[in-house]
Structures are given as C-alpha cells and as structure tokens.
Amino acid sequence: MGTSLVVPHQEDSTTTNPSVSQQQQFIKQLQILSAELVLAIPFGFALFHFNFGGIAWIFGGIISGAAVFQTSRVVYNYLPKPNRTAREIGMMLVGITIGTSNAHANLANISAGVPVFVCLTLFLLVCGGCIGYIYSRLSKTNLLTAMLATVPGGVGVMSAIAADYNKNVTLVALVQALRVTSVVFLIPLIARATNHTSVQPPISSTVESYSFELLLLVLVISTLAVYIAKLLKVPAAPFFASLLVGMAFNPILNWLPFVDDISFTPPLVIKLLGQMLLGITIGEYWGEKPTFPKRTIGYAIISVAMTLAAGVAATLLAMQLTSWDWLTCLLVTAPGGSAEIILVALTLDHNVEIVTAGHVVRLIAINSFLPIWIFLFRHFDNQEGRRETLSIK
C-alpha cells in the first residue's frame, strides 16, 4: 500500500516540472553510483586477497552493484534502473586499457586469423539461434525475447533492444547477466586449476612527468571518437572506439617529429575503475530482478548451460582449425561480454591480441546480423500469433 502512494507522487512531480525531476533523478543516480564504487573497493581488495587476481575488481563491482540496488529496493523503497552511462564509461576505460596493451600486436598474425574468427562467429551465431528456439519452446516465451536473452551480445544492449520492442526486459536481463557472470567466474577458475594463474596488477607503475597530460589527452580523444562512433551507429561504440584510440595513441605520438620515445599506459586507478564500473552494471541487473518463479530460473539456467556447451564446442573447433593452445581457444570462443572476456585475457596475460581480435570480429558480426535476426524472429512471432488466433476461432 506504501508503494502505491509513492509512485503516483513521483509521476505527478514529473508532469509538473520535468527539469526538476530529471535533476533529482541525476542526483539519485550519482549517489547510487558513488555508494557502489565506495563499496566495490573493499570487496575488490578482499577478493584480490583471496587470489582472485586482477578479475577480483569486476566481481567486487558485481557484488557492490547488486547489494546497493537491493538495499535501495528493500530499505528505501526506491527502484533504480541500471546506469547505462556508467557502463559506457567503464567500457571506454577498459577499451583504452586493452588498446594500449595491444599497441605492439603483430597485425600480420592477427589478420591471418580473421577467416578462423569469422568461421567461429558463424558457428556461435547458428548455435545461438538454435538455443534461442529451444529456450522459447521450453519456457513458452516468444521467439524474439528468447533470442535476445540467449545471444551473447551483452546485458545492456540486449535489454535495451527488448525494451524498444516491448518484450520481457527483466527476463532478458536475467539470462544475459547469468551467462556473463558464469563465464567471467568459470574461466579464471579453470585457468587457476590448470596452473594458468592470474597475473596480479602491479602495486605501483612508472609515473612520468607527462602522464597526467597524456591521460587527459587520451580521454578527450576517446570521448570524441565514441561520440562519432555513436553517430555512425558503430556496434558497442564506447568499447570499440576507445579500443582503436588506445591502439593508435602511442604509435601516432611517436610518429610526431617533436616527440621522443613515449610508451603511455593508463594508470592503475583507470584500469581498476573501468573494471569496477563494468562489474557494477552487471551487478545492477542482478539487484534489479523481481521475484521469478523457480521454473523460469530453471529454464534460464538450462539456456545458459546450453550456451556454455556451445562455447566448449566452439573451443574444440578452434583447436582443430588453429595451433593456439586450449586456453586461447577458450577465451576467443567464450560466450561472455566482449569487454569482460578480453579483460580476463589481460589479467591472465594470455594472448591478449588474439582474444581481442576474435571478440571484435564477433562483436561486429553479432551487431550487424541483429537487425536481420530481429526481423526474422518478429516475423515468426507474428505467424505463430496468427495461427493461435485461427485455432481459437
């Protein structure tokens, strides 16, 4: 009854003065994000202490985001939405970090692997379509919702598309968050069990006199590149654009005649902040969840298990097609968020350039095929709707 009194009051204030309401909403989002970041730091340190390695900061963010969102819902009766801006900033910072680490990658080796990346991507897309169809039959969910829930395209992107088409956003977010969290948790666990331990980030790094100025410069250039990429409808613009900026930043600086040899790497705080923001936004989707029936959660777990099995099958295929070791193949084919999986490769210090190239190819392919997939699945949904209507008549 208390909830029914609060919600109309909020709607009235929005109607009366939208600008004041937007300002209050921004302040609330900022307060929640600040609380999440403050809470993520001790969680990250605790997990790092228990040998989670560099990936501890993502999990610290996941725990923090879920805890703050649940507290807001239960204690303060406030229902916030996942902060998409925070995720974009996190993806941009992670893109810069990964890009600078890949600046000296052997492009010849990477370009030679493009046909393999395309083949693996097509295999995963076909598997994703089959899994989406099976999931829709099991859970009695329409095909478009099932496809958005099961395709490995990222929590935020798929949830946003589901909202655009008036589909079940919470169900899509549940399955996507479960898949990403499972993959990010399992891969470091498997790597540790097979003696591929995570590389711990250095406590301190070399600080040069121009580091702060270069950091500001790369942030400004990345922000501009992300803005342009969004205008051009580039898939996952914050990550993709900042990744390219990070890769090109040092070579372009060193090409200038008045600049000596510079090898800029983002400070440790930027690396950790990007990881925490990515983790926080995943945790927010966990904390946002309403109560689902046990059957719904069971079907979600089944679909995620099928997706993980498809990833294992793709790993075996990659091992047949390439000379890469099994961990590289696993990282390239892992059905998680691209930024998160590349971060895992970075913390494991394991063939980051190959993993980055594989996920960038897949990211472009998934986002390129999405309009076709959405059209087809909506068409199939409409056909099923007509059949049901005719059968009732």
Side-chain angles (χ1 to χ4, degrees):
M1 190 170 182
T3 305
S4 62
L5 293 174
V6 173
V7 175
H9 176 71
Q10 289 178 343
E11 290 178 354
D12 290 343
S13 65
T14 304
T15 308
T16 306
N17 196 341
S19 61
V20 173
S21 177
Q22 288 178 359
Q23 186 176 8
Q24 291 174 343
Q25 188 73 15
F26 174 76
I27 292 172
K28 285 182 179 179
Q29 283 186 338
L30 196 59
Q31 289 173 337
I32 288 173
L33 182 60
S34 300
E36 289 169 334
L37 285 171
V38 169
L39 194 59
I41 293 171
F43 279 131
F45 272 115
L47 293 171
F48 188 77
H49 178 72
F50 286 105
N51 295 322
F52 267 70
I55 207 68
W57 304 100
I58 290 184
F59 278 103
I62 291 174
I63 298 169
S64 170
V68 171
F69 259 47
Q70 277 299 315
T71 303
S72 299
R73 292 168 64 89
V74 176
V75 178
Y76 298 103
N77 199 28
Y78 175 61
L79 281 68
K81 292 293 181 185
N83 194 330
R84 295 181 65 185
T85 302
R87 179 164 180 81
E88 289 185 352
I89 294 172
M91 291 179 74
M92 187 177 80
L93 297 180
V94 168
I96 293 171
T97 301
I98 295 169
T100 52
S101 70
N102 279 324
H104 302 291
N106 191 329
L107 296 179
N109 290 340
I110 293 174
S111 59
V114 168
V116 176
F117 297 143
V118 172
C119 177
L120 294 173
T121 298
L122 291 176
F123 177 80
L124 288 168
L125 285 175
V126 172
C127 290
C130 295
I131 292 168
Y133 179 80
I134 294 170
Y135 176 64
S136 71
R137 300 300 92 181
L138 287 174
S139 61
K140 308 299 181 186
T141 307
N142 65 79
L143 286 170
L144 182 56
T145 300
M147 186 273 289
L148 292 173
T150 54
V151 69
V155 185
V157 175
M158 295 304 154
S159 299
I161 294 173
D164 291 340
Y165 288 94
N166 295 317
K167 300 303 178 183
N168 193 334
V169 179
T170 53
L171 181 61
V172 170
L174 168 70
V175 180
Q176 290 284 351
L178 180 61
R179 174 183 54 79
V180 174
T181 308
S182 300
V183 172
V184 173
F185 176 76
L186 287 173
I187 290 181
L189 198 65
I190 295 170
R192 193 181 303 116
T194 54
N195 297 323
H196 286 83
T197 53
S198 293
V199 175
Q200 298 183 352
I203 296 172
S204 61
S205 55
T206 304
V207 179
E208 300 176 2
S209 58
Y210 43 75
S211 294
F212 182 70
E213 290 81 359
L214 290 178
L215 175 61
L216 286 179
L217 179 61
V218 75
L219 288 175
V220 170
I221 295 173
S222 295
T223 303
L224 180 62
V226 169
Y227 176 75
I228 295 172
K230 282 185 173 181
L231 291 179
L232 297 174
K233 306 295 182 183
V234 174
F239 177 67
F240 192 66
S242 57
L243 178 71
L244 293 180
V245 170
M247 292 181 71
F249 189 69
N250 281 326
I252 289 177
L253 279 182
N254 289 315
W255 176 76
L256 298 175
F258 53 85
V259 175
D260 293 328
D261 187 30
I262 290 179
S263 181
F264 170 77
T265 56
L268 182 59
V269 65
I270 294 296
K271 301 175 184 179
L272 299 186
L273 180 60
Q275 293 185 47
M276 285 190 290
L277 286 173
L278 282 186
I280 282 169
T281 51
I282 296 172
E284 287 177 346
Y285 282 101
W286 279 113
E288 183 194 33
K289 300 296 173 291
T291 304
F292 282 104
K294 290 182 179 179
R295 180 174 293 184
T296 301
I297 296 174
Y299 288 140
I301 293 173
I302 290 172
S303 71
V304 170
M306 288 191 293
T307 304
L308 295 178
V312 172
T315 300
L316 296 174
L317 177 62
M319 291 176 68
Q320 296 298 318
L321 296 175
T322 68
S323 58
W324 304 330
D325 62 274
W326 69 268
L327 183 57
T328 302
C329 295
L330 181 64
L331 288 165
V332 168
T333 58
S338 296
E340 289 85 357
I341 299 302
I342 299 171
L343 261 180
V344 171
L346 190 62
T347 57
L348 295 175
D349 193 25
H350 197 84
N351 288 338
V352 182
E353 65 278 1
I354 294 176
V355 177
T356 301
H359 279 274
V360 166
V361 169
R362 193 167 79 190
L363 196 65
I364 294 171
I366 288 175
N367 285 274
S368 300
F369 280 111
L370 261 181
I372 301 172
W373 278 38
I374 290 172
F375 172 79
L376 289 175
F377 279 85
R378 289 186 72 195
H379 175 71
F380 293 146
D381 279 339
N382 292 334
Q383 280 190 335
E384 286 194 0
R386 292 194 197 99
R387 290 195 199 102
E388 289 177 2
T389 303
L390 291 174
S391 62
I392 292 172
K393 291 180 179 179

